[in-house]
Short mmCIF file of all heavy atoms in Angstrom, two decimals:
data_model
loop_
_atom_site.label_atom_id
_atom_site.label_comp_id
_atom_site.label_asym_id
_atom_site.label_seq_id
_atom_site.Cartn_x
_atom_site.Cartn_y
_atom_site.Cartn_z
N ASP A 1 34.77 66.76 15.45
CA ASP A 1 33.65 67.09 14.57
C ASP A 1 32.39 67.23 15.43
O ASP A 1 31.72 66.24 15.73
CB ASP A 1 33.48 65.98 13.52
CG ASP A 1 32.39 66.30 12.50
OD1 ASP A 1 31.56 67.20 12.75
OD2 ASP A 1 32.34 65.63 11.44
N ALA A 2 32.08 68.46 15.82
CA ALA A 2 30.96 68.68 16.74
C ALA A 2 29.63 68.24 16.13
O ALA A 2 28.77 67.72 16.84
CB ALA A 2 30.89 70.15 17.13
N ALA A 3 29.47 68.41 14.82
CA ALA A 3 28.21 68.02 14.18
C ALA A 3 27.99 66.51 14.30
O ALA A 3 26.87 66.05 14.58
CB ALA A 3 28.21 68.44 12.72
N ALA A 4 29.05 65.74 14.13
CA ALA A 4 28.94 64.29 14.23
C ALA A 4 28.63 63.86 15.67
O ALA A 4 27.81 62.96 15.90
CB ALA A 4 30.23 63.63 13.75
N VAL A 5 29.28 64.52 16.64
CA VAL A 5 29.04 64.18 18.04
C VAL A 5 27.63 64.59 18.45
O VAL A 5 26.93 63.86 19.18
CB VAL A 5 30.09 64.83 18.95
CG1 VAL A 5 29.80 64.54 20.41
CG2 VAL A 5 31.49 64.32 18.58
N ALA A 6 27.17 65.75 17.99
CA ALA A 6 25.81 66.19 18.29
C ALA A 6 24.79 65.21 17.71
O ALA A 6 23.78 64.91 18.35
CB ALA A 6 25.58 67.59 17.73
N ALA A 7 25.06 64.70 16.52
CA ALA A 7 24.17 63.71 15.91
C ALA A 7 24.12 62.43 16.75
O ALA A 7 23.08 61.79 16.88
CB ALA A 7 24.62 63.40 14.49
N LEU A 8 25.27 62.05 17.34
CA LEU A 8 25.33 60.88 18.21
C LEU A 8 24.40 61.05 19.41
O LEU A 8 23.61 60.15 19.73
CB LEU A 8 26.76 60.64 18.67
CG LEU A 8 26.94 59.62 19.80
CD1 LEU A 8 26.60 58.21 19.31
CD2 LEU A 8 28.35 59.67 20.37
N TYR A 9 24.50 62.21 20.10
CA TYR A 9 23.66 62.42 21.28
C TYR A 9 22.18 62.53 20.90
O TYR A 9 21.30 62.17 21.69
CB TYR A 9 24.12 63.65 22.05
CG TYR A 9 25.38 63.39 22.84
CD1 TYR A 9 26.59 63.94 22.47
CD2 TYR A 9 25.34 62.57 23.96
CE1 TYR A 9 27.75 63.67 23.19
CE2 TYR A 9 26.49 62.29 24.69
CZ TYR A 9 27.69 62.85 24.29
OH TYR A 9 28.82 62.57 25.00
N ASP A 10 21.93 63.02 19.70
CA ASP A 10 20.54 63.04 19.22
C ASP A 10 20.03 61.62 19.04
O ASP A 10 18.90 61.29 19.44
CB ASP A 10 20.47 63.81 17.90
CG ASP A 10 19.04 64.10 17.47
OD1 ASP A 10 18.12 63.96 18.30
OD2 ASP A 10 18.83 64.47 16.31
N ASP A 11 20.86 60.73 18.45
CA ASP A 11 20.48 59.33 18.28
C ASP A 11 20.29 58.63 19.63
O ASP A 11 19.33 57.90 19.84
CB ASP A 11 21.54 58.58 17.47
CG ASP A 11 21.56 58.99 16.00
OD1 ASP A 11 20.57 59.57 15.54
OD2 ASP A 11 22.58 58.72 15.33
N LEU A 12 21.24 58.87 20.55
CA LEU A 12 21.22 58.17 21.83
C LEU A 12 20.12 58.65 22.75
O LEU A 12 19.42 57.85 23.39
CB LEU A 12 22.57 58.33 22.53
CG LEU A 12 23.79 57.67 21.89
CD1 LEU A 12 25.05 58.02 22.69
CD2 LEU A 12 23.61 56.16 21.84
N LEU A 13 19.95 59.98 22.84
CA LEU A 13 19.11 60.55 23.89
C LEU A 13 18.03 61.51 23.38
O LEU A 13 17.23 62.01 24.17
CB LEU A 13 19.99 61.30 24.90
CG LEU A 13 21.13 60.47 25.52
CD1 LEU A 13 22.07 61.38 26.30
CD2 LEU A 13 20.58 59.38 26.42
N GLY A 14 18.06 61.81 22.09
CA GLY A 14 17.11 62.79 21.58
C GLY A 14 17.43 64.20 22.01
O GLY A 14 16.55 65.06 22.09
N LEU A 15 18.72 64.48 22.27
CA LEU A 15 19.17 65.81 22.71
C LEU A 15 19.98 66.47 21.61
O LEU A 15 20.84 65.84 21.00
CB LEU A 15 20.03 65.69 23.98
CG LEU A 15 19.36 65.05 25.20
CD1 LEU A 15 20.37 64.91 26.33
CD2 LEU A 15 18.17 65.88 25.66
N THR A 16 19.71 67.73 21.36
CA THR A 16 20.45 68.50 20.35
C THR A 16 20.95 69.80 20.97
O THR A 16 20.37 70.30 21.95
CB THR A 16 19.56 68.83 19.15
OG1 THR A 16 18.41 69.55 19.59
CG2 THR A 16 19.11 67.56 18.43
N PRO A 17 22.03 70.38 20.43
CA PRO A 17 22.55 71.64 20.99
C PRO A 17 21.51 72.75 20.92
O PRO A 17 20.81 72.90 19.93
CB PRO A 17 23.75 71.94 20.09
CG PRO A 17 24.18 70.62 19.55
CD PRO A 17 22.89 69.86 19.35
N TYR A 18 21.43 73.50 22.01
CA TYR A 18 20.53 74.65 22.02
C TYR A 18 21.28 75.95 21.74
O TYR A 18 20.67 76.99 21.51
CB TYR A 18 19.81 74.77 23.37
CG TYR A 18 20.69 75.14 24.53
CD1 TYR A 18 21.01 76.47 24.82
CD2 TYR A 18 21.22 74.15 25.35
CE1 TYR A 18 21.83 76.80 25.88
CE2 TYR A 18 22.03 74.47 26.42
CZ TYR A 18 22.34 75.79 26.68
OH TYR A 18 23.15 76.12 27.73
N LYS A 19 22.60 75.87 21.74
CA LYS A 19 23.38 77.09 21.59
C LYS A 19 24.76 76.76 21.03
O LYS A 19 25.37 75.76 21.40
CB LYS A 19 23.52 77.79 22.94
CG LYS A 19 24.29 79.11 22.91
CD LYS A 19 24.34 79.71 24.31
CE LYS A 19 25.02 81.07 24.29
NZ LYS A 19 25.09 81.65 25.65
N ARG A 20 25.24 77.62 20.15
CA ARG A 20 26.60 77.51 19.60
C ARG A 20 27.27 78.88 19.76
O ARG A 20 26.68 79.91 19.43
CB ARG A 20 26.51 77.12 18.12
CG ARG A 20 27.83 77.13 17.39
CD ARG A 20 27.59 76.74 15.94
NE ARG A 20 28.75 77.01 15.12
CZ ARG A 20 28.80 76.84 13.81
NH1 ARG A 20 27.71 76.41 13.18
NH2 ARG A 20 29.89 77.11 13.12
N GLU A 21 28.47 78.89 20.31
CA GLU A 21 29.13 80.16 20.60
C GLU A 21 30.64 80.02 20.46
O GLU A 21 31.24 79.09 21.01
CB GLU A 21 28.79 80.61 22.03
CG GLU A 21 29.44 81.92 22.46
CD GLU A 21 29.10 82.29 23.89
OE1 GLU A 21 28.21 81.63 24.48
OE2 GLU A 21 29.72 83.22 24.42
N ALA A 22 31.24 80.93 19.72
CA ALA A 22 32.70 80.95 19.56
C ALA A 22 33.33 81.80 20.66
O ALA A 22 32.84 82.89 20.96
CB ALA A 22 33.08 81.49 18.19
N VAL A 23 34.41 81.30 21.25
CA VAL A 23 35.20 82.06 22.21
C VAL A 23 36.55 82.28 21.53
O VAL A 23 37.45 81.43 21.61
CB VAL A 23 35.36 81.32 23.55
CG1 VAL A 23 36.11 82.20 24.56
CG2 VAL A 23 33.99 80.94 24.11
N GLU A 24 36.67 83.40 20.85
CA GLU A 24 37.83 83.64 19.99
C GLU A 24 39.14 83.63 20.77
O GLU A 24 40.15 83.10 20.30
CB GLU A 24 37.66 84.98 19.26
CG GLU A 24 36.45 85.06 18.34
CD GLU A 24 36.62 84.25 17.07
OE1 GLU A 24 37.76 83.81 16.79
OE2 GLU A 24 35.62 84.04 16.36
N ARG A 25 39.15 84.22 21.96
CA ARG A 25 40.39 84.33 22.71
C ARG A 25 40.94 82.97 23.13
O ARG A 25 42.12 82.80 23.37
CB ARG A 25 40.23 85.23 23.94
CG ARG A 25 39.22 84.74 24.95
CD ARG A 25 39.14 85.68 26.14
NE ARG A 25 40.34 85.62 26.95
CZ ARG A 25 40.63 86.45 27.92
NH1 ARG A 25 39.77 87.42 28.20
NH2 ARG A 25 41.74 86.33 28.60
N GLU A 26 40.02 81.97 23.22
CA GLU A 26 40.44 80.61 23.57
C GLU A 26 40.57 79.72 22.34
O GLU A 26 40.97 78.55 22.45
CB GLU A 26 39.42 79.98 24.53
CG GLU A 26 39.19 80.77 25.80
CD GLU A 26 40.42 80.83 26.69
OE1 GLU A 26 41.32 79.98 26.51
OE2 GLU A 26 40.50 81.73 27.55
N GLY A 27 40.20 80.26 21.16
CA GLY A 27 40.30 79.48 19.93
C GLY A 27 39.37 78.29 19.91
O GLY A 27 39.72 77.22 19.37
N VAL A 28 38.16 78.44 20.46
CA VAL A 28 37.27 77.30 20.58
C VAL A 28 35.84 77.65 20.16
O VAL A 28 35.37 78.78 20.38
CB VAL A 28 37.27 76.76 22.04
CG1 VAL A 28 36.75 77.82 23.01
CG2 VAL A 28 36.44 75.49 22.16
N GLN A 29 35.20 76.70 19.51
CA GLN A 29 33.78 76.79 19.18
C GLN A 29 33.03 75.89 20.15
O GLN A 29 33.33 74.69 20.25
CB GLN A 29 33.52 76.34 17.75
CG GLN A 29 32.07 76.40 17.32
CD GLN A 29 31.63 77.82 17.01
OE1 GLN A 29 32.26 78.52 16.23
NE2 GLN A 29 30.54 78.25 17.62
N THR A 30 32.10 76.45 20.90
CA THR A 30 31.36 75.66 21.89
C THR A 30 29.97 75.33 21.37
O THR A 30 29.35 76.11 20.64
CB THR A 30 31.24 76.41 23.22
OG1 THR A 30 30.46 77.60 23.02
CG2 THR A 30 32.61 76.79 23.77
N HIS A 31 29.48 74.16 21.77
CA HIS A 31 28.14 73.70 21.43
C HIS A 31 27.53 73.16 22.72
O HIS A 31 28.04 72.18 23.28
CB HIS A 31 28.17 72.60 20.37
CG HIS A 31 28.95 72.97 19.14
ND1 HIS A 31 28.36 73.32 17.94
CD2 HIS A 31 30.30 73.04 18.94
CE1 HIS A 31 29.30 73.58 17.05
NE2 HIS A 31 30.49 73.42 17.63
N PHE A 32 26.44 73.76 23.20
CA PHE A 32 25.86 73.38 24.49
C PHE A 32 24.63 72.50 24.30
O PHE A 32 23.73 72.82 23.51
CB PHE A 32 25.49 74.61 25.31
CG PHE A 32 26.67 75.33 25.89
CD1 PHE A 32 27.26 76.39 25.22
CD2 PHE A 32 27.21 74.92 27.10
CE1 PHE A 32 28.36 77.05 25.76
CE2 PHE A 32 28.31 75.57 27.64
CZ PHE A 32 28.89 76.63 26.97
N ILE A 33 24.60 71.40 25.05
CA ILE A 33 23.47 70.48 25.06
C ILE A 33 22.95 70.39 26.50
O ILE A 33 23.72 70.08 27.41
CB ILE A 33 23.88 69.07 24.59
CG1 ILE A 33 24.41 69.13 23.14
CG2 ILE A 33 22.72 68.10 24.70
CD1 ILE A 33 24.99 67.81 22.66
N GLN A 34 21.68 70.71 26.70
CA GLN A 34 21.10 70.58 28.03
C GLN A 34 20.79 69.11 28.29
O GLN A 34 20.04 68.48 27.56
CB GLN A 34 19.82 71.40 28.15
CG GLN A 34 19.23 71.44 29.55
CD GLN A 34 20.09 72.25 30.51
OE1 GLN A 34 20.50 73.37 30.21
NE2 GLN A 34 20.38 71.67 31.66
N ALA A 35 21.38 68.55 29.34
CA ALA A 35 21.20 67.14 29.66
C ALA A 35 20.70 67.03 31.10
O ALA A 35 21.47 66.80 32.03
CB ALA A 35 22.49 66.36 29.48
N GLY A 36 19.41 67.24 31.29
CA GLY A 36 18.86 67.21 32.64
C GLY A 36 19.32 68.41 33.44
O GLY A 36 19.19 69.56 33.01
N GLN A 37 19.91 68.17 34.61
CA GLN A 37 20.29 69.25 35.50
C GLN A 37 21.65 69.85 35.17
O GLN A 37 22.04 70.83 35.77
CB GLN A 37 20.27 68.74 36.94
CG GLN A 37 18.87 68.34 37.40
CD GLN A 37 18.83 67.90 38.84
OE1 GLN A 37 19.87 67.63 39.45
NE2 GLN A 37 17.65 67.84 39.42
N ALA A 38 22.39 69.26 34.27
CA ALA A 38 23.69 69.80 33.86
C ALA A 38 23.71 69.90 32.33
O ALA A 38 22.74 69.56 31.64
CB ALA A 38 24.83 68.93 34.38
N LYS A 39 24.83 70.36 31.80
CA LYS A 39 24.97 70.53 30.37
C LYS A 39 26.20 69.78 29.87
O LYS A 39 27.12 69.48 30.64
CB LYS A 39 25.14 72.02 30.02
CG LYS A 39 24.03 72.92 30.50
CD LYS A 39 24.39 74.38 30.32
CE LYS A 39 23.33 75.29 30.92
NZ LYS A 39 23.72 76.71 30.87
N LEU A 40 26.21 69.49 28.58
CA LEU A 40 27.41 69.03 27.89
C LEU A 40 27.90 70.20 27.04
O LEU A 40 27.10 70.86 26.37
CB LEU A 40 27.11 67.83 26.99
CG LEU A 40 26.49 66.61 27.67
CD1 LEU A 40 26.24 65.52 26.64
CD2 LEU A 40 27.37 66.09 28.79
N GLU A 41 29.20 70.46 27.09
CA GLU A 41 29.80 71.50 26.27
C GLU A 41 30.76 70.83 25.30
O GLU A 41 31.84 70.37 25.70
CB GLU A 41 30.53 72.53 27.14
CG GLU A 41 31.16 73.66 26.33
CD GLU A 41 32.01 74.59 27.20
OE1 GLU A 41 32.56 74.11 28.22
OE2 GLU A 41 32.16 75.77 26.84
N LEU A 42 30.37 70.74 24.03
CA LEU A 42 31.25 70.18 23.02
C LEU A 42 32.23 71.27 22.59
O LEU A 42 31.84 72.38 22.23
CB LEU A 42 30.44 69.70 21.82
CG LEU A 42 29.28 68.73 22.12
CD1 LEU A 42 28.62 68.27 20.82
CD2 LEU A 42 29.76 67.55 22.94
N LEU A 43 33.52 70.94 22.65
CA LEU A 43 34.59 71.91 22.37
C LEU A 43 35.28 71.54 21.08
O LEU A 43 35.88 70.47 20.96
CB LEU A 43 35.59 71.90 23.53
CG LEU A 43 35.01 72.22 24.91
CD1 LEU A 43 35.98 71.83 26.01
CD2 LEU A 43 34.64 73.68 25.02
#
């Protein structure tokens, strides 16, 4: 549940996804969170 996990990172760090993108060929919905110098990609 990406929405629930995104809410967790918002509570913990004040970070929310800046981008949501579906990759149909891989069957995945991605949610990107910028976390300093790297990113988290919720799959």
